[in-house]
Amino acid sequence: MQLEVIGVGGAGCRLADAIRAAEPANHAFLTDVYAFDTDEAALGRTVIPESNRHRYGEGDPAQGATDGGDGDGSSPIERGFERGQERADELLEVLGRGEPSAADAFLVTVGLGGTTGGGTVPALVATLQRTSEQPVYVLATLPADREFDASAGETDGLAGHARTATATSDTEPPRPEAATNALATLERLEGVASAIVLFDNEAWLRPGETLSDARDRSNREVATQVAAVFSGSAGESGETTAQTVIDASDVERIVGSESAFVTLGYAEQAVETTSSRFGLGLLTTERDVDTAEAVSAVETVVRKAIRGKRSLECDPEAADRGLLIVGGPPAWLNRKAIADGRRTLQTAIDGSGILGGDAPRPDGETVFAGVVLAGIGPVERLEELRETAGTR
Ligand SMILES: Nc1nc2c(ncn2[C@@H]2O[C@H](COP(=O)(O)OP(=O)(O)OP(=O)(O)O)[C@@H](O)[C@H]2O)c(=O)[nH]1
Ligand SMILES: [Mg+2]
């Protein structure tokens, strides 16, 4: 399927960057990618072409307000929502200069916790829903606990000292209000976004690591998960057509249109792709691949994608619906193992429906599985954030 990606705020733009970088060369699944931020310097650090970057809200009183309320008693995130409403048409106009109708869906990427991305996204998503036919999905990160401590970075000894000394505007500020902000944005997205893919920063940080240290790695992880699911059977050549093509309407059926929470899983395994004397000299043919090895590779990646670490940790049983995509060099895509994988997913989620497809990658060097679990709830991490917000 074809996706238009719109990054908003610092994290949103970096996520959009990462998704662009994860697009497989011969399996394009992106139409346009945009970066929107109030912060000119942050925008300048993205690799999104200048024509698709847009700074909005210049000189706006709401901008950069991260330190509590102002005279009128409104909180920074509320002022962020107001600014979002004021600016949504301007952003829509920028998107209109591209070719929004070429996309099967929009994916708006944002880091929840701040006031820019989280403030703008509800109004932008609502405006897109009003003015276009396609589903509008949101990819949102949840803030990590270590961001909430206002003194972090100054009190954690030498490492913190060194960081402070070399601090650039790229270093993440402490965000005591991050949990409150994140929950406020999610509340506004309820009933507005078609579906909300969550990525929990807390779960992907290593001990002692700051968000700035970890963010490139985290962004690559989630971008790989997104690419596995959305690039599905995109752009393949005629001779390697998927047995079961996953298209935009299949994705829509699984994630739904009612703001369901979604988590993504991914696993891959490198496989031998030595050239064959029988094929074109480049492709691995079925006779080069041991069936038992192919079955084992598919089983392994499917199990890891379902049971391993996902963008948001939750029991697969907590999901209503699931989607499984198994990809790799065609000779490795053992049909029976893929069918078994679908049954594994069906059993794991114990829900109402699953879909499965395959994604042949003649030029690929790995067998991979991408998993979508949709309609998950209750989300434990959101409960934790509610507790944090309640104590502040
Ligand atoms: N995964 C990931 N999360 C990030 C990244 N940058 C920031 N975050 C998270 O996103 C939240 C919001 O950060 P930003 O996107 O920088 O904030 P903003 O939307 O620009 O809003 P401001 O407060 O006005 O800067 C933070 O609290 C972090 O949890 C990133 O590159 N990757
Ligand atoms: Mg920012």
Side-chain angles (χ1 to χ4, degrees), residues 32-385:
D32 273 321
V33 180
Y34 290 89
F36 295 152
D37 203 339
T38 55
D39 180 341
E40 181 89 69
L43 266 184
R45 284 188 291 268
T46 74
V47 292
I48 288 165
E50 213 170 330
S51 58
N52 285 23
R53 288 184 228 155
H54 181 71
R55 182 196 187 184
Y56 64 101
E58 188 180 6
D60 197 307
Q63 187 177 348
T66 52
D67 54 352
D70 69 0
D72 69 6
S74 63
S75 67
I77 188 66
E78 283 166 17
R79 292 202 300 285
F81 292 143
E82 280 164 30
R83 180 177 47 196
Q85 257 145 16
E86 286 158 19
R87 300 292 175 156
D89 288 340
E90 171 185 335
L91 301 182
L92 192 72
E93 198 213 293
V94 176
L95 298 175
R97 290 181 215 150
E99 211 188 336
S101 59
D104 297 309
F106 298 98
L107 181 69
V108 178
T109 58
V110 63
L112 300 184
T115 55
T116 300
T120 304
V121 157
L124 176 62
V125 171
T127 305
L128 279 167
Q129 294 281 25
R130 254 200 321 276
T131 53
S132 54
E133 299 278 302
Q134 302 101 311
V136 186
Y137 304 130
V138 172
L139 168 64
T141 66
L142 297 176
D145 290 344
R146 65 201 68 174
E147 296 180 63
F148 307 151
D149 184 356
S151 60
E154 288 150 30
T155 55
D156 63 351
L158 263 184
H161 190 78
R163 245 191 331 269
T164 310
T166 56
T168 64
S169 54
D170 222 15
T171 307
E172 282 292 308
R175 294 180 183 272
E177 299 297 326
T180 307
N181 293 348
L183 293 167
T185 298
L186 284 176
E187 206 171 290
R188 292 213 170 206
L189 286 172
E190 170 81 51
V192 176
S194 302
I196 303 167
V197 181
L198 292 174
F199 180 88
D200 183 14
N201 275 320
E202 176 69 18
W204 288 84
L205 281 173
R206 293 172 183 157
E209 206 175 37
T210 65
L211 209 96
S212 316
D213 298 335
R215 68 187 192 196
D216 289 347
R217 189 187 72 240
S218 298
N219 295 350
R220 271 197 305 274
E221 296 275 2
V222 68
T224 305
Q225 295 166 343
V226 166
V229 170
F230 289 100
S231 73
S233 30
E236 81 246 9
S237 57
E239 75 222 81
T240 55
T241 304
Q243 293 286 324
T244 313
V245 178
I246 288 292
D247 63 16
S249 61
D250 294 326
V251 171
E252 206 176 337
R253 262 174 69 196
I254 293 303
V255 301
S257 55
E258 295 175 352
S259 311
F261 290 128
V262 174
T263 180
L264 304 179
Y266 176 84
E268 65 177 30
Q269 181 175 312
V271 293
E272 199 65 49
T273 52
T274 46
S275 58
S276 160
R277 283 183 293 123
F278 307 104
L280 297 173
L282 290 170
L283 305 177
T284 302
T285 64
E286 302 244 10
R287 76 180 81 185
D288 298 327
V289 177
D290 179 59
T291 305
E293 257 187 83
V295 169
S296 155
V298 171
E299 276 176 357
T300 304
V301 293
V302 167
R303 189 183 60 246
K304 286 188 181 163
I306 296 174
R307 291 285 166 192
K309 193 164 186 174
R310 271 169 276 105
S311 63
L312 173 83
E313 307 270 27
C314 73
D315 279 340
E317 295 79 33
D320 272 343
R321 304 175 297 281
L323 175 70
L324 172 68
I325 289 176
V326 180
W332 284 87
L333 299 182
N334 184 283
R335 255 173 265 167
K336 187 172 167 308
I338 294 175
D340 286 347
R342 280 201 282 273
R343 275 189 287 278
T344 306
L345 179 62
Q346 176 84 61
T347 313
I349 68 168
D350 191 27
S352 57
I354 67 141
L355 285 175
D358 55 310
R361 295 282 184 268
D363 45 355
E365 292 171 0
T366 61
V367 169
F368 68 87
V371 164
V372 177
L373 299 181
I376 49 175
V379 178
E380 224 169 276
R381 180 63 184 152
L382 290 182
E383 296 305 324
E384 284 173 20
L385 292 174

